[in-house]
Amino acid sequence: MILEDISLKLQAGRAKDVKALVQQAIDEGIPAEQILDEGLVAGMNVIGEKFKNNEVFVPEVLVAARAMNMGAQILKPLLVAEGVKASGKVCIGTVQGDLHDIGKNLVKMMMEGKGLEVIDLGTDVSPDTFVETAKNEGCQIIACSALLTTTMGVMADVVKAAEAAGIRDKVKIMIGGAPVTDEYCQKIGADAYTPDAASAADKALEFCKAMGA
Ligand code: B1M
């Protein structure tokens, strides 16, 4: 079945094959949403689970994500035409003072794999930038990544900035990165800590659904 082939080629990181198979599936008349859900997202979900269980590692995730992006690019105009709505909007960034972005990029990719629209603010992102973006773009979620013990404190400032801007009840603040813990999340009053990219994407989707996005 062609959708399973798409999933398998995506898991193997074969971007060109994925692209060709997605085009073939479109030509065969399979709806774009079905190609996305049962081909691309299904494959990315397998990779996400394997990554969580240490069965595959960063390089495999990155090539799979690249294959996913190539396939999704072909589907994008059709999905818009068919009226498929993104299931929620997230702004993500690595916090001010911190330039590590590999983990953040993985979280972004996994979230996109779940059908969420993700605004990538990059690295060294100030609390005000997170909050202004969430406010202006109508994001349900602010997602902050930090890899340094010296920068994770900025996450507390993001929570405070959201309170000061009057949007704390409209936005969920998710945090993660190697030095971050669930205990820290509770201490600063953020909404969720997740240890890896796959569980961050699961949690973000859960929040968006609960918020009726
Ligand atoms: Co830096 N670095 N680094 N570094 N670096 C660490 C983090 C460090 C632990 C190395 C060490 O000393 N053992 C250490 C931090 C010590 C500490 O604070 N406790 C460190 C240091 C000290 C520094 C510098 C200060 C070094 C210096 O200049 N003296 C400097 C700081 C620069 C800055 O940011 N201002 C620095 C610089 C760099 C490089 C530029 C060379 C490079 C970054 C390149 C890049 O990102 N583009 C780098 C790297 C690569 C690392 C290590 C080796 C690897 C980090 C990484 O990408 N891991 C790292 C040592 C290590 O971790 N073993 C280290 C892979 C990635 C997939 O994991 O980002 O943890 P991670 O993401 C995971 C989860 O954490 C989670 O999901 C991801 C995948 O499952 N996750 C989230 C991440 N964000 C999330 C958000 C979520 C949910 C989950 O919700 C929103």
Side-chain angles (χ1 to χ4, degrees):
M1 165 78 165
I2 190 163
L3 298 178
E4 199 178 339
D5 281 352
I6 292 173
S7 165
L8 290 172
K9 294 290 185 193
L10 183 144
Q11 291 169 49
R14 307 286 295 264
K16 279 187 185 161
D17 291 341
V18 169
K19 203 176 159 186
L21 284 167
V22 167
Q23 189 58 56
Q24 191 184 325
I26 293 169
D27 295 342
E28 286 178 15
I30 301 173
E33 193 177 359
Q34 195 181 352
I35 302 171
L36 180 70
D37 287 345
E38 295 175 28
L40 298 175
V41 174
M44 207 61 203
N45 280 343
V46 175
I47 284 288
E49 276 306 306
K50 286 186 173 173
F51 187 52
K52 201 153 60 173
N53 298 327
N54 290 322
E55 292 167 41
V56 298
F57 300 96
V58 175
E60 288 99 321
V61 178
L62 290 176
V63 288
R66 193 171 147 261
M68 161 106 201
N69 284 335
M70 281 182 82
Q73 262 166 30
I74 302 178
L75 288 178
K76 208 169 184 178
L78 294 170
L79 290 170
V80 172
E82 287 173 18
V84 177
K85 253 183 78 213
S87 43
K89 209 172 190 183
V90 180
C91 61
I92 192 167
T94 305
V95 298
Q96 197 160 37
D98 200 325
L99 302 177
H100 296 84
D101 68 357
I102 298 171
K104 183 266 296 171
N105 291 342
L106 289 175
V107 174
K108 176 192 170 189
M109 287 169 189
M110 292 295 179
M111 286 181 173
E112 287 178 338
K114 291 277 172 194
L116 297 163
E117 183 180 344
V118 183
I119 300 171
D120 187 354
L121 299 170
T123 58
D124 194 18
V125 181
S126 72
D128 285 347
T129 302
F130 277 114
V131 168
E132 283 305 309
T133 305
K135 204 171 164 180
N136 295 338
E137 300 284 341
C139 299
Q140 285 85 24
I141 293 172
I142 293 175
C144 306
S145 179
L147 262 287
L148 299 170
T149 46
T150 49
T151 59
M152 58 191 271
V154 177
M155 291 167 162
D157 298 335
V158 174
V159 176
K160 285 181 200 148
E163 279 163 7
I167 61 160
R168 188 65 190 94
D169 57 340
K170 295 184 191 71
V171 72
K172 297 288 182 193
I173 300 175
M174 293 180 59
I175 62 171
V180 183
T181 61
D182 197 31
E183 192 186 355
Y184 182 70
C185 176
Q186 289 173 30
K187 185 177 155 196
I188 66 170
D191 296 296
Y193 157 75
T194 48
D196 56 61
S199 47
D202 287 342
K203 191 73 196 173
L205 188 61
E206 187 189 312
F207 275 144
C208 287
K209 281 185 178 161
M211 293 163 89

